Amino acid sequence: MRIGGRLAGAIEVLAEVEERRRPIANALKDWGTAHRFAGSGDRAAIGNIVYDALRCKLSHAFLMDDGSPAALAHAVLYRQWGISPETLAGMLDGDKFAPEPLPEATLAAFNSRSLADAPDAVRGDLPEWIVPAFQENFGEGWLAEAEALNLRPPLDLRVNTLKADREKVKKALSRAGADLSAIAPNGLRIPPGAGPDRLPNVTAELSFQKGWFEVQDEGSQIVARLVDAKAGQQVLDYCAGGGGKTLALAAAMDNAGQVHAYDADRTRLAPIIERLRRAGTRNVQVHDDAAGLEGLQFDRVLVDAPCTGTGTWRRRPDIKWRLSEKNLEERTTQQAEVLAAASRFVKPGGALVYVTCSLLPAENQNQVQAFLAANPDFSAEPVETLWPGLFPGVAAHPHFTAGAFATLTPAITGTDGFFCAILRKRV
């Protein structure tokens, strides 16, 4: 397909996402099924346009004075792919699969408007009601934080030290351009590329099938390391989901001790069994019923709580525009319930590690402070004092709130957004 067909395909998918409020991945999959003539490179390019468009939806619409799918898709090529309107017009000329040209008024707006004149929400490509929360969390740096969430994410991998070391996996993935992560000691990173570039399908690699590595954002690897699980300990991953952090904990413990992985959602938990088998773990017990945990006490309890996912907007920009204040209220209620339930399993002297992939104070520091006020037998252990020992020689570090809590972000640490608090139970 030429660029005209790819542009037209992206416009179709954007319309589907907008009109039917569908997840991007589902809309792209259905488009590919209905257009089997499109090759893998075409589908990747179309997906890139769609994701880029939705990451910067408000600023694209402002500069084009038009928020239609066609205007957003064209804005991607103009602003993010470096193709001028004049050059693109020449590329589309004579292409029978190209979309209709944009109205002259839209092009005139793009040539005359400046983001400097736009409201804060537009400059940051944030829902307007979210801006105060970012300003509260990051102060004068809020806009840089918001802008970093609008960039393409890399592909991060965690080396499974039960089966391989980092240099061995890096060599095996040399064709994919994998290099060492900046912070996570067992991480590798593949850059995101630009324009129509597609990321490699690393799960098709033999080294993946052998269990040498897992796909896991570096931020997720970092918060799993902050649990500080050691060989011989008893550890509970209370909201285990698909098992990414469970696998990291099991490897950190070198298959010694015990990791209990629990999630109330059996659908989310289902993939963990195959992942554990491939990784060669022998110290994990999986639970889909909390009754199986009754009477147990743990050295470490990890709560990767349900949240709004604001820290993952680079990867899932569509959820940014579906998020509402009601959603936030529902999540904070769930988080409080999960924290209370999980805290029962922490033994005296043990640690409750609270994690979200959110960047909103209501889900993070405010949630923790409310828990601590209601549970005086717990106290916050400063993450800032633990950081140098867990990440020796690493210059980069998270944003520390009063030294007690850690926030990872694309702008600060080059990772997805994560919040981490370590709460120690008194003996």
Side-chain angles (χ1 to χ4, degrees):
M1 294 173 66
R2 295 166 59 187
I3 194 168
R6 292 175 170 183
L7 183 60
I11 292 170
E12 286 183 46
V13 175
L14 283 167
E16 179 79 358
V17 170
E18 181 71 22
E19 293 166 10
R20 298 182 58 189
R21 297 177 66 82
R22 298 190 66 201
I24 298 175
N26 293 353
L28 285 169
K29 181 180 178 181
D30 288 350
W31 187 93
T33 300
H35 300 79
R36 293 192 180 276
F37 59 85
S40 59
D42 298 320
R43 294 193 299 272
I46 290 168
N48 285 345
I49 295 172
V50 171
Y51 277 95
D52 285 346
L54 291 178
R55 290 186 186 104
C56 299
K57 178 180 176 180
L58 290 186
S59 59
H60 284 335
F62 175 83
L63 291 174
M64 305 291 278
D65 195 23
D66 182 352
S68 68
L72 296 179
H74 280 80
V76 168
L77 301 186
Y78 298 161
R79 295 183 65 203
Q80 293 162 283
W81 291 28
I83 304 174
S84 71
E86 296 74 22
T87 300
L88 182 62
M91 297 169 72
L92 300 180
D93 187 35
D95 185 347
K96 65 179 181 180
F97 297 108
E100 290 293 318
L102 292 177
E104 288 297 326
T106 302
L107 291 173
F110 178 74
N111 287 322
S112 61
R113 288 193 162 200
S114 169
L115 274 184
D117 302 322
D120 284 347
V122 172
R123 290 190 298 142
D125 276 293
L126 296 173
E128 188 171 358
W129 67 274
I130 289 285
V131 172
F134 266 62
Q135 292 172 332
E136 176 188 346
N137 219 18
F138 302 113
E140 293 182 357
W142 77 269
L143 182 57
E145 294 291 348
E147 290 173 337
L149 281 166
N150 300 328
L151 302 175
R152 289 187 189 177
L155 177 61
D156 287 341
L157 314 173
R158 180 186 59 79
V159 173
N160 176 20
T161 53
L162 296 175
K163 289 192 171 185
D165 60 44
R166 193 153 67 153
E167 286 299 329
K168 182 177 181 179
V169 179
K170 178 186 173 184
K171 183 177 179 180
L173 297 176
S174 59
R175 290 175 301 177
D179 206 348
L180 305 184
S181 296
I183 300 175
N186 298 314
L188 294 172
R189 170 163 291 185
I190 298 172
D197 293 346
R198 52 178 169 166
L199 287 166
N201 179 16
V202 293
T203 60
E205 296 284 343
L206 182 60
S207 52
F208 176 78
Q209 304 302 325
K210 290 180 176 179
W212 290 5
F213 68 89
E214 287 285 333
V215 177
Q216 185 178 19
D217 178 75
E218 187 179 10
S220 179
Q221 297 177 48
I222 291 168
V223 295
R225 187 166 178 81
L226 286 171
V227 176
D228 197 19
K230 293 181 170 60
Q233 289 185 333
Q234 297 294 308
V235 177
L236 172 60
D237 186 353
Y238 191 76
C239 300
K245 295 182 183 66
T246 297
L247 289 163
L249 293 171
M253 296 165 67
D254 199 24
N255 262 339
Q258 200 78 50
V259 181
H260 291 254
Y262 164 73
D263 201 291
D265 187 337
R266 296 180 180 181
T267 302
R268 292 185 69 233
L269 192 62
I272 196 173
I273 302 300
E274 171 57 24
R275 296 180 74 183
L276 291 171
R277 183 202 62 76
R278 188 176 61 245
T281 57
R282 300 189 304 274
N283 66 332
V284 176
Q285 293 188 37
V286 181
H287 305 263
D288 61 6
D289 187 341
L293 300 172
E294 289 304 321
L296 299 178
Q297 293 277 281
F298 297 90
D299 299 286
R300 302 282 188 271
V301 175
L302 168 62
V303 177
D304 186 0
C307 69
T308 56
T310 50
T312 68
W313 280 348
R314 296 187 303 173
R315 302 180 192 279
R316 304 174 64 197
D318 49 326
I319 67 172
K320 172 163 54 172
W321 309 114
R322 293 198 297 268
L323 183 62
S324 68
E325 293 176 89
K326 182 180 179 181
N327 297 147
L328 177 58
E329 183 179 342
E330 291 170 348
R331 287 291 181 259
T332 54
T333 299
Q334 292 171 344
Q335 290 156 4
E337 293 171 350
V338 167
L339 262 175
S343 67
R344 299 182 297 115
F345 299 106
V346 183
K347 77 176 189 181
L352 175 63
V353 182
Y354 176 74
V355 169
T356 74
C357 54
S358 171
L359 297 176
L360 305 183
E363 299 181 273
N364 296 338
Q365 54 264 44
N366 296 356
Q367 187 71 260
V368 172
Q369 296 290 10
F371 173 82
L372 292 173
N375 296 271
D377 53 335
F378 282 87
S379 60
E381 187 167 292
V383 179
E384 188 170 7
T385 61
L386 298 174
W387 184 266
L390 292 172
F391 302 94
V394 174
H397 58 78
H399 171 69
F400 295 115
T401 306
F405 312 134
T407 301
L408 309 169
T409 72
I412 297 172
T413 52
T415 67
D416 281 355
F418 278 93
F419 172 86
C420 182
I422 301 174
L423 312 178
R424 183 72 60 177
K425 187 174 183 178
R426 293 190 177 92
V427 178

Coordinates of all heavy atoms in Angstrom, one line a residue, residues 294-358:
E294 N -6.2 -17.6 53.6 CA -6.6 -17.4 55.0 C -5.6 -18.1 55.9 O -5.2 -19.3 55.7 CB -8.0 -17.9 55.2 CG -9.1 -17.0 54.6 CD -9.0 -15.6 55.1 OE1 -8.7 -15.3 56.2 OE2 -9.2 -14.7 54.2
G295 N -5.2 -17.4 56.9 CA -4.3 -17.9 57.9 C -2.8 -17.7 57.6 O -1.9 -18.0 58.4
L296 N -2.5 -17.3 56.4 CA -1.1 -17.1 55.9 C -0.6 -15.7 56.3 O -1.4 -14.7 56.3 CB -1.0 -17.4 54.4 CG -1.3 -18.8 53.9 CD1 -1.2 -18.8 52.4 CD2 -0.5 -19.8 54.6
Q297 N 0.7 -15.6 56.6 CA 1.3 -14.3 56.8 C 2.6 -14.2 56.0 O 3.3 -15.2 55.8 CB 1.7 -14.2 58.3 CG 0.5 -14.1 59.3 CD -0.1 -12.7 59.4 OE1 0.5 -11.9 60.1 NE2 -1.1 -12.4 58.6
F298 N 2.9 -13.0 55.5 CA 3.9 -12.9 54.5 C 4.9 -11.8 54.9 O 4.6 -10.8 55.5 CB 3.3 -12.5 53.1 CG 2.4 -13.6 52.6 CD1 1.1 -13.6 52.9 CD2 2.9 -14.6 51.8 CE1 0.2 -14.6 52.4 CE2 2.1 -15.6 51.3 CZ 0.8 -15.6 51.6
D299 N 6.2 -12.0 54.4 CA 7.2 -11.0 54.6 C 7.0 -9.8 53.7 O 7.3 -8.7 54.1 CB 8.6 -11.6 54.3 CG 9.0 -12.8 55.1 OD1 9.3 -12.6 56.3 OD2 8.9 -14.0 54.6
R300 N 6.5 -10.0 52.5 CA 6.2 -9.0 51.6 C 4.8 -9.2 51.0 O 4.6 -10.3 50.5 CB 7.3 -8.9 50.5 CG 8.7 -8.7 50.9 CD 9.0 -7.3 51.3 NE 10.4 -7.0 51.5 CZ 11.0 -7.2 52.7 NH1 10.3 -7.6 53.8 NH2 12.3 -6.9 52.9
V301 N 4.0 -8.2 50.9 CA 2.8 -8.2 50.2 C 2.8 -7.1 49.2 O 2.8 -5.9 49.5 CB 1.6 -8.1 51.2 CG1 0.3 -8.0 50.4 CG2 1.5 -9.2 52.2
L302 N 2.7 -7.4 47.9 CA 2.7 -6.5 46.8 C 1.2 -6.3 46.4 O 0.5 -7.2 46.1 CB 3.5 -7.0 45.6 CG 3.3 -6.2 44.3 CD1 3.7 -4.7 44.5 CD2 4.1 -6.9 43.2
V303 N 0.8 -5.0 46.4 CA -0.6 -4.7 45.9 C -0.4 -3.8 44.7 O -0.1 -2.6 44.8 CB -1.4 -4.0 47.0 CG1 -2.7 -3.5 46.5 CG2 -1.6 -4.9 48.2
D304 N -0.5 -4.4 43.5 CA -0.5 -3.6 42.3 C -2.0 -3.3 42.0 O -2.7 -4.0 41.3 CB 0.1 -4.4 41.1 CG 0.2 -3.6 39.9 OD1 -0.2 -2.4 39.9 OD2 0.7 -4.2 38.9
A305 N -2.5 -2.2 42.6 CA -3.9 -1.9 42.7 C -4.6 -1.5 41.4 O -3.9 -1.0 40.5 CB -4.1 -0.8 43.8
P306 N -5.8 -1.9 41.3 CA -6.6 -1.4 40.1 C -6.6 0.1 40.1 O -6.7 0.8 41.1 CB -8.0 -1.9 40.3 CG -8.1 -2.2 41.8 CD -6.7 -2.6 42.2
C307 N -6.4 0.7 38.9 CA -6.2 2.2 38.9 C -6.7 2.7 37.5 O -7.1 1.9 36.6 CB -4.8 2.6 39.1 SG -3.6 2.2 37.8
T308 N -6.6 4.0 37.3 CA -7.1 4.6 36.1 C -6.1 4.4 34.9 O -6.5 4.6 33.8 CB -7.2 6.1 36.2 OG1 -6.0 6.7 36.7 CG2 -8.3 6.5 37.3
G309 N -4.9 4.0 35.2 CA -3.9 3.7 34.1 C -3.4 4.9 33.5 O -2.8 4.9 32.4
T310 N -3.4 6.1 34.2 CA -2.9 7.3 33.6 C -1.4 7.2 33.2 O -0.9 7.9 32.3 CB -3.1 8.5 34.5 OG1 -2.6 8.2 35.8 CG2 -4.6 8.8 34.6
G311 N -0.7 6.4 33.9 CA 0.7 6.2 33.6 C 1.0 5.4 32.4 O 2.2 5.4 31.9
T312 N 0.0 4.8 31.8 CA 0.2 4.0 30.6 C -0.3 4.6 29.4 O -0.5 4.0 28.3 CB -0.5 2.6 30.8 OG1 -1.9 2.8 30.8 CG2 0.0 1.9 32.1
W313 N -0.6 5.9 29.4 CA -1.2 6.6 28.3 C -0.4 6.5 27.0 O -0.9 6.7 25.9 CB -1.6 8.0 28.6 CG -2.8 8.2 29.4 CD1 -3.8 7.2 29.7 CD2 -3.3 9.3 30.1 NE1 -4.8 7.7 30.5 CE2 -4.5 9.0 30.8 CE3 -2.7 10.6 30.3 CZ2 -5.2 9.9 31.5 CZ3 -3.4 11.5 31.1 CH2 -4.7 11.2 31.7
R314 N 0.9 6.4 27.1 CA 1.7 6.2 25.9 C 1.3 5.0 25.1 O 1.3 5.0 23.9 CB 3.2 6.1 26.3 CG 3.8 7.3 26.9 CD 5.3 7.1 27.1 NE 5.7 5.9 27.8 CZ 6.9 5.5 28.0 NH1 8.0 6.1 27.4 NH2 7.2 4.4 28.7
R315 N 1.0 3.9 25.8 CA 0.6 2.7 25.2 C -0.9 2.5 24.9 O -1.3 1.8 24.0 CB 1.1 1.5 26.1 CG 2.6 1.5 26.4 CD 3.0 0.4 27.3 NE 4.4 0.6 27.8 CZ 5.5 0.4 27.1 NH1 5.3 -0.1 25.9 NH2 6.6 0.6 27.6
R316 N -1.7 3.2 25.7 CA -3.1 3.1 25.6 C -3.8 4.5 25.6 O -4.5 4.9 26.5 CB -3.7 2.3 26.7 CG -3.0 0.9 26.9 CD -3.5 0.2 28.1 NE -4.9 -0.1 28.1 CZ -5.6 -0.4 29.2 NH1 -5.1 -0.4 30.4 NH2 -6.9 -0.6 29.1
P317 N -3.5 5.3 24.5 CA -4.0 6.7 24.5 C -5.5 6.8 24.4 O -6.1 7.8 24.8 CB -3.4 7.3 23.3 CG -3.0 6.1 22.4 CD -2.7 5.0 23.3
D318 N -6.2 5.7 24.0 CA -7.7 5.8 23.9 C -8.3 5.9 25.3 O -9.3 6.5 25.4 CB -8.2 4.6 23.1 CG -7.6 3.2 23.5 OD1 -6.5 3.2 23.9 OD2 -8.4 2.2 23.5
I319 N -7.7 5.2 26.3 CA -8.3 5.3 27.6 C -8.2 6.7 28.2 O -9.0 7.0 29.1 CB -7.7 4.2 28.6 CG1 -6.3 4.5 28.9 CG2 -7.8 2.8 28.0 CD1 -5.7 3.6 30.0
K320 N -7.3 7.5 27.7 CA -7.2 8.8 28.2 C -8.5 9.6 28.0 O -8.9 10.4 28.8 CB -6.0 9.5 27.6 CG -5.9 11.0 27.9 CD -4.5 11.6 27.5 CE -4.0 11.4 26.2 NZ -2.8 12.1 25.9
W321 N -9.1 9.4 26.8 CA -10.2 10.2 26.4 C -11.6 9.6 26.9 O -12.6 10.2 26.8 CB -10.2 10.4 24.9 CG -8.9 10.9 24.5 CD1 -8.0 10.3 23.7 CD2 -8.3 12.1 24.8 NE1 -6.9 11.0 23.5 CE2 -7.0 12.2 24.2 CE3 -8.7 13.2 25.6 CZ2 -6.2 13.3 24.3 CZ3 -7.8 14.3 25.7 CH2 -6.6 14.3 25.1
R322 N -11.5 8.4 27.5 CA -12.7 7.7 28.1 C -12.7 7.9 29.6 O -13.8 7.6 30.2 CB -12.7 6.2 27.7 CG -12.9 6.0 26.3 CD -13.4 4.5 26.0 NE -12.4 3.5 26.5 CZ -11.5 3.0 25.7 NH1 -11.4 3.4 24.4 NH2 -10.7 2.1 26.2
L323 N -11.7 8.4 30.2 CA -11.6 8.5 31.6 C -12.5 9.6 32.1 O -12.6 10.7 31.6 CB -10.1 8.8 32.1 CG -9.9 8.8 33.6 CD1 -10.2 7.5 34.2 CD2 -8.4 9.3 33.8
S324 N -13.2 9.3 33.2 CA -14.1 10.3 33.8 C -13.9 10.4 35.3 O -13.2 9.5 35.9 CB -15.6 9.9 33.6 OG -15.9 8.8 34.3
E325 N -14.4 11.5 35.9 CA -14.3 11.6 37.4 C -15.0 10.5 38.1 O -14.5 10.1 39.2 CB -14.8 13.0 37.8 CG -14.0 14.2 37.2 CD -14.6 15.5 37.6 OE1 -14.3 16.1 38.6 OE2 -15.4 16.0 36.7
K326 N -16.0 10.0 37.5 CA -16.7 8.8 38.1 C -15.8 7.6 38.1 O -15.8 6.9 39.1 CB -18.0 8.5 37.4 CG -18.8 7.4 38.0 CD -20.1 7.1 37.2 CE -20.8 5.9 37.8 NZ -22.1 5.6 37.0
N327 N -15.1 7.4 37.0 CA -14.1 6.3 37.0 C -13.1 6.4 38.1 O -12.8 5.4 38.7 CB -13.4 6.2 35.6 CG -14.3 6.0 34.4 OD1 -14.0 6.5 33.3 ND2 -15.3 5.2 34.6
L328 N -12.6 7.6 38.3 CA -11.6 7.8 39.3 C -12.2 7.5 40.7 O -11.5 6.9 41.5 CB -11.1 9.3 39.3 CG -10.1 9.7 40.3 CD1 -8.8 8.8 40.3 CD2 -9.7 11.2 40.2
E329 N -13.4 8.0 40.9 CA -14.0 7.7 42.2 C -14.2 6.2 42.5 O -13.9 5.7 43.6 CB -15.4 8.4 42.3 CG -16.1 8.3 43.6 CD -17.4 9.0 43.6 OE1 -17.6 9.9 42.7 OE2 -18.3 8.7 44.5
E330 N -14.6 5.5 41.4 CA -14.7 4.0 41.5 C -13.4 3.4 41.8 O -13.3 2.4 42.7 CB -15.3 3.5 40.2 CG -16.7 3.8 39.9 CD -17.2 3.5 38.6 OE1 -16.3 3.1 37.7 OE2 -18.4 3.5 38.3
R331 N -12.3 3.8 41.2 CA -11.0 3.2 41.4 C -10.5 3.5 42.8 O -9.9 2.6 43.4 CB -10.0 3.7 40.4 CG -10.2 3.2 39.0 CD -9.9 1.7 38.9 NE -10.0 1.1 37.6 CZ -11.0 0.4 37.2 NH1 -12.0 0.2 38.1 NH2 -11.1 -0.1 36.0
T332 N -10.7 4.7 43.3 CA -10.2 5.0 44.6 C -10.9 4.2 45.7 O -10.3 3.8 46.7 CB -10.3 6.5 44.9 OG1 -11.6 6.9 44.7 CG2 -9.3 7.3 44.1
T333 N -12.2 3.9 45.5 CA -12.9 3.1 46.4 C -12.4 1.6 46.4 O -12.2 1.0 47.4 CB -14.4 3.1 46.0 OG1 -14.9 4.4 46.1 CG2 -15.2 2.2 46.9
Q334 N -12.1 1.1 45.2 CA -11.6 -0.2 45.0 C -10.2 -0.3 45.7 O -9.9 -1.3 46.3 CB -11.5 -0.6 43.5 CG -12.8 -0.8 42.9 CD -12.7 -1.0 41.4 OE1 -11.6 -0.7 40.8 NE2 -13.7 -1.4 40.7
Q335 N -9.4 0.7 45.5 CA -8.0 0.7 46.0 C -8.1 0.6 47.6 O -7.3 -0.1 48.2 CB -7.3 1.9 45.6 CG -6.9 1.9 44.1 CD -6.7 3.3 43.5 OE1 -6.7 4.3 44.3 NE2 -6.5 3.4 42.2
A336 N -8.9 1.4 48.2 CA -9.0 1.4 49.6 C -9.5 0.0 50.1 O -8.9 -0.5 51.1 CB -10.0 2.4 50.1
E337 N -10.4 -0.6 49.4 CA -10.8 -2.0 49.8 C -9.7 -3.0 49.6 O -9.5 -3.8 50.5 CB -12.0 -2.4 48.9 CG -13.3 -1.5 49.2 CD -14.4 -1.8 48.2 OE1 -14.1 -2.5 47.2 OE2 -15.5 -1.3 48.4
V338 N -9.0 -2.9 48.5 CA -7.9 -3.8 48.3 C -6.7 -3.7 49.3 O -6.2 -4.6 49.8 CB -7.3 -3.7 46.8 CG1 -6.0 -4.4 46.7 CG2 -8.3 -4.2 45.8
L339 N -6.4 -2.4 49.6 CA -5.4 -2.2 50.6 C -5.7 -2.8 52.0 O -4.9 -3.4 52.7 CB -5.1 -0.7 50.8 CG -4.0 -0.1 50.0 CD1 -4.0 1.4 50.2 CD2 -2.6 -0.6 50.5
A340 N -7.0 -2.5 52.4 CA -7.5 -3.1 53.7 C -7.4 -4.6 53.7 O -7.0 -5.2 54.7 CB -8.9 -2.6 53.9
A341 N -7.8 -5.2 52.6 CA -7.9 -6.7 52.5 C -6.5 -7.3 52.5 O -6.2 -8.2 53.2 CB -8.6 -7.1 51.3
A342 N -5.6 -6.7 51.7 CA -4.2 -7.2 51.6 C -3.4 -7.0 52.9 O -2.5 -7.8 53.2 CB -3.5 -6.5 50.4
S343 N -3.7 -5.9 53.6 CA -2.9 -5.6 54.8 C -3.0 -6.7 55.9 O -2.1 -6.8 56.7 CB -3.3 -4.3 55.4 OG -4.6 -4.3 55.9
R344 N -4.1 -7.5 55.8 CA -4.3 -8.5 56.8 C -3.2 -9.6 56.7 O -3.0 -10.4 57.7 CB -5.7 -9.2 56.7 CG -6.8 -8.2 56.8 CD -8.1 -8.9 56.7 NE -8.3 -9.5 55.4 CZ -8.5 -10.8 55.1 NH1 -8.3 -11.7 56.1 NH2 -8.7 -11.2 53.9
F345 N -2.6 -9.7 55.6 CA -1.6 -10.8 55.3 C -0.2 -10.4 55.6 O 0.7 -11.3 55.4 CB -1.8 -11.3 53.9 CG -3.1 -11.8 53.5 CD1 -4.0 -11.1 52.8 CD2 -3.6 -13.0 54.0 CE1 -5.3 -11.6 52.5 CE2 -4.8 -13.5 53.7 CZ -5.7 -12.8 53.0
V346 N 0.1 -9.2 56.0 CA 1.4 -8.8 56.3 C 1.8 -9.2 57.7 O 1.1 -8.8 58.7 CB 1.6 -7.2 56.2 CG1 3.0 -6.8 56.4 CG2 1.1 -6.8 54.8
K347 N 2.9 -9.9 57.9 CA 3.3 -10.3 59.2 C 4.0 -9.1 59.9 O 4.5 -8.2 59.3 CB 4.2 -11.5 59.2 CG 5.6 -11.2 58.7 CD 6.5 -12.5 58.8 CE 8.0 -12.2 58.6 NZ 8.8 -13.4 58.6
P348 N 4.0 -9.1 61.3 CA 4.7 -8.0 62.0 C 6.2 -7.9 61.5 O 6.9 -8.9 61.4 CB 4.6 -8.5 63.4 CG 3.4 -9.3 63.5 CD 3.3 -10.1 62.2
G349 N 6.5 -6.7 61.2 CA 7.9 -6.5 60.6 C 8.0 -6.6 59.1 O 9.0 -6.3 58.5
G350 N 6.9 -7.1 58.5 CA 6.8 -7.2 57.1 C 6.4 -5.9 56.4 O 6.2 -4.9 57.0
A351 N 6.4 -6.0 55.1 CA 6.2 -4.8 54.3 C 5.0 -5.0 53.3 O 4.8 -6.0 52.7 CB 7.4 -4.4 53.5
L352 N 4.2 -3.9 53.3 CA 3.1 -3.8 52.3 C 3.5 -2.8 51.2 O 3.8 -1.7 51.5 CB 1.8 -3.4 53.0 CG 0.6 -3.1 52.1 CD1 0.1 -4.4 51.5 CD2 -0.5 -2.5 53.0
V353 N 3.7 -3.3 50.0 CA 4.2 -2.4 48.9 C 3.0 -2.1 48.0 O 2.4 -3.0 47.3 CB 5.3 -3.1 48.1 CG1 5.8 -2.2 47.0 CG2 6.4 -3.6 49.0
Y354 N 2.6 -0.8 48.0 CA 1.5 -0.4 47.3 C 1.9 0.3 46.0 O 2.7 1.2 46.0 CB 0.7 0.7 48.1 CG -0.5 1.3 47.4 CD1 -1.7 0.6 47.1 CD2 -0.5 2.6 46.9 CE1 -2.8 1.1 46.5 CE2 -1.5 3.2 46.3 CZ -2.7 2.4 46.1 OH -3.8 3.0 45.4
V355 N 1.4 -0.2 44.9 CA 1.8 0.2 43.5 C 0.6 0.5 42.7 O -0.4 -0.2 42.7 CB 2.7 -0.9 42.8 CG1 2.9 -0.6 41.4 CG2 4.0 -1.0 43.5
T356 N 0.7 1.6 41.9 CA -0.3 1.9 40.8 C 0.4 2.3 39.6 O 1.6 2.7 39.7 CB -1.3 3.0 41.2 OG1 -0.7 4.2 41.1 CG2 -1.9 2.8 42.6
C357 N -0.2 2.1 38.4 CA 0.3 2.7 37.2 C -0.5 4.0 36.9 O -0.9 4.3 35.8 CB 0.3 1.8 36.0 SG -1.4 1.0 35.7
S358 N -0.7 4.8 38.0 CA -1.4 6.1 37.9 C -0.4 7.2 38.3 O 0.5 7.0 39.0 CB -2.6 6.1 38.8 OG -3.2 7.4 38.9

